[in-house]
Amino acid sequence: MSGSRLAKVLTTTVVTLAVIGSVTAWILSYNGYLPGDAVVRTWATAKDRPADGANERWIVGDVAVRGRFDAVTGYGIADGQDGRKLWEYVPPGRTRICGSATHADASVLLVAYGQEGGGVAEPAPGGKGCTTVLALDVKDGRELWTTGRKVATGLFGGGGGFLDAGGDIAVVAHGHRTPLMGRAKDDHTALRALDLRTGKPRWTAALPGGCGPELVSVGREQVFAVLDCGGEEGDELGIGSTDGAELMMAAFDRGTGALKWNVPLDARRPVDLRAKVRIESTDPLVLAVGRSGRLDEATFISFGQDGRPRPGIAFSGGDDKIDLTDAAQTAIVGERMYALAWHWHKGQQYRLVAFDLRTGEELWGRKLDDPAAGLAVRGDRITVLGEWSSQSGAITDLFEYDADDGEELDERRFRDEVPGADFFEHRGRIIVAGSGGDRPFTAFERW
């Protein structure tokens, strides 16, 4: 074989091997089998039994907490614990868990339990309803204290918006309106604060006349409440009217319970009781308000510490929507809101967007190549979980973006199945919360 022919053969061989190597490396990288390109599972809790309702999940220190209708369970997530079950609290008798605080203190978790009973227009018989608030020690599940809660009927509903914790206090809202829209008697309407560790009373807030608390949230300096104001007091059957009623926003001094300010949710036109409202953040105070009763067409309203409203950020049927039934779609850090917004164009097209809460203006937006399932912000980075397609619903990718300008910083592939879209960042790991019947928590780490 001549030298030139041998050189051609060697060149062809080298090129072929290079192509094969490149394709192989791409396949390995795409499927998460090369360092720097993967997210791998490090541990998972035992598989859960099926549930008939939504789970609540928190990360409190080195404990992951899962709340269900029949139990509240703590799992260890510190190094070496690997999701081991630490404790479980089961409500007594035939009662069930019917509410939980949105926030958890570093050592205390608040839940509520009760027994459902009574008809739509029947007062709560024999103390039935979501009537007991319980404080649990997060480290060992020990019961610290309980307190009663007055309700207008024995029916459950409303989730856990009636209680919250922050710093050294627990705040509990008592029932205000019956299912037939009558206002409850004055002795039912109350907003109380208790010592978080002992349950001893701190204060009872003086509410504006004709108002009762719907949602509460504890901030660093103030306690906030969405108030349901106006309408008629219910008769003996609980029947009333909401004519003239509207939703208001109020702030109370967290040390004394004194009313600091009370303003309408919308200064231009009343927000009626059919609206869906969620407190997104307390510092600063941000609400998501869906006037139509839907939270995928909502306006985000931010308030100053003095109650003055700031310009809103609206998602009301235009090009972009946000699925606010899923809390993993937004994150508020300082004076910025980050969100996963989508619109329909031959399928769901997603953008990662950042807004200035002081002005309501969009700071930056980044088009995403894949459907997005959830986001979290930690430090100066935004982590987004991505799906292969909106039809599959399977989490496949992890992306990281610079919180300042939205520049993509990292992209990785999950090598193992991901049980859900709600997730937390903990000591460099990603803790994913599963749904009922799946594993409550699964930990992943970048590899």
Side-chain angles (χ1 to χ4, degrees):
M1 181 182 295
S2 67
S4 60
R5 185 175 180 184
L6 178 60
K8 290 181 180 179
V9 171
L10 290 175
T11 300
T12 301
T13 302
V14 169
V15 170
T16 302
L17 290 175
V19 170
I20 293 173
S22 298
V23 172
T24 302
W26 181 86
I27 293 173
L28 291 174
S29 174
Y30 183 79
N31 288 281
Y33 285 94
L34 288 181
D37 295 319
V39 187
V40 297
R41 191 173 79 173
T42 54
W43 55 258
T45 57
K47 195 168 184 179
D48 206 359
R49 56 194 181 279
D52 64 353
N55 293 339
E56 297 289 340
R57 285 76 60 103
W58 307 265
I59 299 292
V60 189
D62 287 329
V63 180
V65 182
R66 188 280 325 268
R68 294 169 30 124
F69 74 97
D70 56 353
V72 181
T73 311
Y75 301 88
I77 58 176
D79 290 341
Q81 291 183 319
D82 294 343
R84 176 171 56 87
K85 183 176 177 180
L86 301 178
W87 54 266
E88 185 166 73
Y89 172 83
V90 178
R94 295 183 176 180
T95 62
R96 64 184 178 93
I97 303 293
C98 49
S100 55
T102 303
H103 305 108
D105 179 76
S107 61
V108 181
L109 177 72
L110 294 181
V111 297
Y113 67 83
Q115 184 176 354
E116 189 164 17
V120 170
E122 183 180 345
K128 291 183 178 179
C130 200
T131 56
T132 303
V133 174
L134 167 73
L136 296 173
D137 189 296
V138 173
K139 293 182 180 179
D140 55 18
R142 178 169 48 92
E143 182 179 324
L144 298 176
W145 52 265
T146 61
T147 188
R149 173 177 175 263
K150 293 181 180 180
V151 295
T153 74
L155 299 178
F156 288 159
F162 56 82
L163 73 164
D164 198 21
D168 59 347
I169 64 170
V171 177
V172 180
H174 294 255
H176 172 61
R177 196 172 289 277
T178 72
L180 294 181
M181 305 315 292
R183 285 195 290 111
K185 303 294 183 182
D186 289 341
D187 61 353
H188 279 283
T189 300
L191 182 67
R192 295 192 300 133
L194 306 95
D195 186 278
L196 189 58
R197 291 295 305 181
T198 67
K200 292 182 178 180
R202 288 283 192 89
W203 48 257
T204 298
L207 300 174
C211 294
E214 288 290 306
L215 302 172
V216 298
S217 194
V218 180
R220 286 192 296 265
E221 298 179 2
Q222 299 181 117
V223 172
F224 299 102
V226 176
L227 302 181
D228 166 354
C229 299
E232 295 179 357
E233 190 173 281
D235 60 18
E236 64 276 4
L237 296 178
I239 301 174
S241 170
T242 60
D243 290 346
E246 67 172 305
L247 296 176
M248 309 282 285
M249 191 71 224
F252 303 86
D253 186 283
R254 62 172 295 152
T256 66
L259 179 65
K260 306 276 285 187
W261 49 263
N262 180 34
V263 299
L265 289 193
D266 188 331
R268 294 182 176 274
R269 59 192 178 104
V271 176
D272 67 36
L273 308 189
R274 293 170 295 180
K276 293 288 187 182
V277 180
R278 193 166 75 193
I279 300 176
E280 298 288 304
S281 166
T282 57
D283 298 290
L285 176 62
V286 182
L287 307 181
V289 180
R291 282 184 172 273
S292 65
R294 297 170 52 182
L295 279 178
D296 60 347
E297 296 183 355
T299 298
F300 290 85
I301 303 173
S302 178
F303 295 85
Q305 285 294 97
D306 58 358
R308 292 185 181 182
R310 296 163 162 181
I313 301 169
F315 294 87
S316 55
D319 289 337
D320 281 341
K321 297 177 182 289
I322 295 181
D323 182 10
L324 287 177
T325 59
D326 182 356
Q329 301 299 298
T330 59
I332 293 172
V333 180
E335 293 291 356
R336 284 193 177 189
M337 183 179 84
Y338 303 95
L340 295 172
W342 65 272
H343 65 274
W344 188 266
H345 178 69
K346 299 179 181 180
Q348 285 181 291
Q349 307 295 321
Y350 279 82
R351 288 196 312 138
L352 176 62
V353 289
F355 296 92
D356 187 323
L357 291 168
R358 292 165 294 196
T359 64
E361 295 180 355
E362 182 177 319
L363 297 174
W364 54 259
R366 182 179 182 88
K367 184 179 181 300
L368 304 181
D369 295 330
D370 297 318
L375 66 80
V377 181
R378 189 165 183 261
D380 59 355
R381 289 197 171 202
I382 305 170
T383 301
V384 175
L385 299 189
E387 302 173 349
W388 173 253
S389 74
S390 57
Q391 284 73 39
S392 71
I395 307 299
T396 54
D397 298 289
L398 179 146
F399 303 93
E400 289 190 339
Y401 301 91
D402 189 306
D404 185 54
D405 56 13
E407 179 185 355
E408 183 175 316
L409 303 175
D410 196 8
E411 177 183 354
R412 294 170 186 257
R413 184 87 169 177
F414 283 95
R415 189 188 299 177
D416 306 282
E417 182 180 355
V418 183
D422 292 338
F423 68 103
F424 308 87
E425 295 267 7
H426 179 267
R427 300 183 185 272
R429 287 177 175 166
I430 299 168
I431 311 293
V432 178
S435 57
D438 211 322
R439 299 181 187 276
F441 298 100
T442 305
F444 298 87
E445 61 185 19
R446 297 163 180 83
W447 179 73

